[in-house]
Amino acid sequence: MLLLPVLALAAAWSCTFPLSGGQRVEQRQVALVHTAVSRRLTVLVVLFSLLLFDGQAQVLLQQRQPSLTKRTSTTAVIDCKVEAIGNFQAAYIHWYRHIPTRAPERLLYVTSTAQINYDKDSYKDKYHSSKRGKNTCTLSVKDIREDDEGTYYCAYWHSVGNLVFGTGTKLIVSNKGNSKPENSEILQTKHKDQLLYVCLIENFYPEVIRVQWVDGADKEVTKNVVKGDVWKSTNDKYSVSTWLTLPVNMTNKNYFCKYDHESQENFKLPIQDSSKTPSQEEYCSTHSGNSTVFYKDYLMHRAAHLVYLVLLLKSSMYYVIVLFFIYRTRTPAKLPGKKT
């Protein structure tokens, strides 16, 4: 509301020019005055915007559910936790849906008065959104069908031209329920003056999972971290692993492998005492159970990939050789001493 008097004052200022001696101001002078007024008005608007959004430099939208598996004809409720906004109830929260190969599409937004504005009238029977508590906004997807699959994001206009998105929740339509990991552990080995930690998470469904290394203060560790791809293991379930490499002199700190899955949220695995770290030979040969499962499963997956590439290259070479002989047999031979 403070901006309206400013605009009114600027408009009056831009239309009133004192004339000396009753003479008219020349057109060029009027243009210069208008330019000066426009610049001053721009400065006022920018200053007002900075005043309005001051103290909101670290807006964070957290969607705790990496995925949500639902059966058809049911309702899915997706949460969005909004942090670092002074007055959450006055904030406008937007909801988007993203399908692979398509641009994100806005579905609706919730105003400061809890009014829902839909981008399409057909969305009124499909989606609903509301604000709950101090900092949570929810999106309901009703009467779920297979074409409702996609990743849903909450969003907030932090400042002019700066749209902040949430972490996203993937909606999976399936009659198969989720299942938590059957095994999760940290394997470790020592190489020279470094320690390698492997966080292994096995046999979960669906395949959407968030895995990260964190320190004792729950701050994410990104240096010397390698994140592996999710692979299909057994019985239509999935596994994933991630690596953390640390110098030996840093092992006195606390590190955890943290993962969020639809079936198990904010689960932490602590790193064991490095003084009991086995040698590389022991790690590869004498560890039974889950360690052996890891090596068999992961190495077989990589070996199969390499064999596939070798066979593909070999078949390509055969194809080129066959084409060469076909070309030679169809090309007429030149008679000796005869010009063509």
Side-chain angles (χ1 to χ4, degrees):
M1 299 302 293
L2 178 62
L3 187 58
L4 295 179
V6 173
L7 295 177
L9 177 60
W13 186 14
S14 62
C15 296
T16 305
F17 305 100
L19 304 178
S20 60
Q23 297 178 357
R24 298 184 59 184
V25 179
E26 295 181 1
Q27 186 175 2
R28 184 176 180 182
Q29 293 176 326
V30 173
L32 292 175
V33 173
H34 271 285
T35 301
V37 170
S38 299
R39 291 177 179 175
R40 293 180 183 181
L41 179 59
T42 302
V43 173
L44 289 174
V45 172
V46 170
L47 290 176
F48 176 79
S49 300
L50 293 176
L51 177 64
L52 181 64
F53 296 104
D54 184 31
Q56 300 181 13
Q58 295 180 349
V59 174
L60 177 64
L61 305 181
Q62 182 68 35
Q63 295 175 241
R64 60 181 180 84
Q65 308 147 301
S67 64
L68 199 58
T69 304
K70 304 295 289 186
R71 299 176 182 269
T72 55
S73 303
T74 60
T75 298
V77 180
I78 302 173
D79 295 336
C80 175
K81 186 178 180 181
V82 185
E83 299 179 357
I85 293 182
N87 188 357
F88 168 69
Q89 296 299 331
Y92 282 50
I93 305 298
H94 305 251
W95 283 97
Y96 286 79
R97 179 192 178 202
H98 179 242
I99 301 176
T101 72
R102 298 185 187 178
E105 175 192 15
R106 191 177 69 172
L107 307 174
L108 57 88
Y109 66 92
V110 186
T111 66
S112 57
T113 58
Q115 179 182 350
I116 305 175
N117 292 334
Y118 295 89
D119 283 56
K120 294 182 181 179
D121 291 336
S122 59
Y123 290 164
K124 293 181 179 180
D125 296 329
K126 171 60 66 173
Y127 306 107
H128 178 77
S129 184
S130 62
K131 296 179 180 179
R132 297 179 181 177
K134 297 181 179 180
N135 59 354
T136 302
C137 185
T138 63
L139 174 70
S140 299
V141 185
K142 297 176 286 187
D143 191 20
I144 292 176
R145 299 173 300 183
E146 291 185 358
D147 56 1
D148 290 324
E149 284 194 341
T151 305
Y152 292 79
Y153 295 90
C154 57
Y156 169 73
W157 282 104
H158 173 49
S159 59
V160 179
N162 184 13
L163 184 61
V164 180
F165 282 91
T167 48
T169 299
K170 184 176 182 179
L171 177 61
I172 301 172
V173 182
S174 173
N175 292 328
K176 180 181 178 180
N178 63 65
S179 58
K180 66 179 182 180
E182 296 178 3
N183 175 64
S184 56
E185 62 178 338
I186 295 180
L187 311 175
Q188 56 189 37
T189 183
K190 184 177 180 181
H191 178 67
K192 295 183 179 180
D193 58 345
Q194 291 186 330
L195 286 174
L196 172 64
Y197 298 96
V198 180
C199 179
L200 172 65
I201 307 167
E202 294 180 296
N203 299 330
F204 54 86
Y205 181 85
E207 71 277 11
V208 184
I209 190 170
R210 296 180 189 145
V211 185
Q212 58 183 346
W213 290 95
V214 297
D215 58 17
D218 205 31
K219 183 179 179 181
E220 183 178 4
V221 179
T222 57
K223 187 177 181 180
N224 298 326
V225 171
V226 178
K227 294 184 179 181
D229 297 329
V230 175
W231 73 84
K232 198 169 185 179
S233 49
T234 57
N235 300 326
D236 292 330
K237 293 184 179 181
Y238 299 85
S239 300
V240 69
S241 58
T242 177
W243 293 262
L244 171 65
T245 304
L246 292 175
V248 175
N249 57 3
M250 290 185 60
T251 56
N252 56 343
K253 297 182 179 180
N254 294 325
Y255 292 94
F256 302 86
C257 177
K258 175 182 175 182
Y259 69 85
D260 289 291
H261 186 256
E262 179 180 332
S263 61
Q264 203 168 21
E265 299 176 7
N266 199 22
F267 191 84
K268 289 184 180 181
L269 292 171
I271 287 180
Q272 302 298 328
D273 186 4
S274 61
S275 61
K276 300 179 180 180
T277 301
S279 64
Q280 188 171 1
E281 290 76 11
E282 293 174 336
Y283 175 66
C284 295
S285 59
T286 62
H287 265 224
S288 60
N290 293 323
S291 299
T292 306
V293 170
F294 165 69
Y295 270 98
K296 286 183 178 179
D297 196 6
Y298 180 74
L299 294 181
M300 286 180 63
H301 174 77
R302 293 300 182 188
H305 182 69
L306 292 176
V307 170
Y308 170 78
L309 292 179
V310 171
L311 292 177
L312 182 62
L313 179 61
K314 188 176 180 181
S315 62
S316 301
M317 293 176 60
Y318 284 150
Y319 180 75
V320 172
I321 294 173
V322 170
L323 286 180
F324 174 77
F325 279 105
I326 293 176
Y327 172 79
R328 290 297 302 269
T329 55
R330 292 187 177 183
T331 303
K334 296 182 180 180
L335 297 177
K338 185 178 178 180
K339 295 182 178 182
T340 56

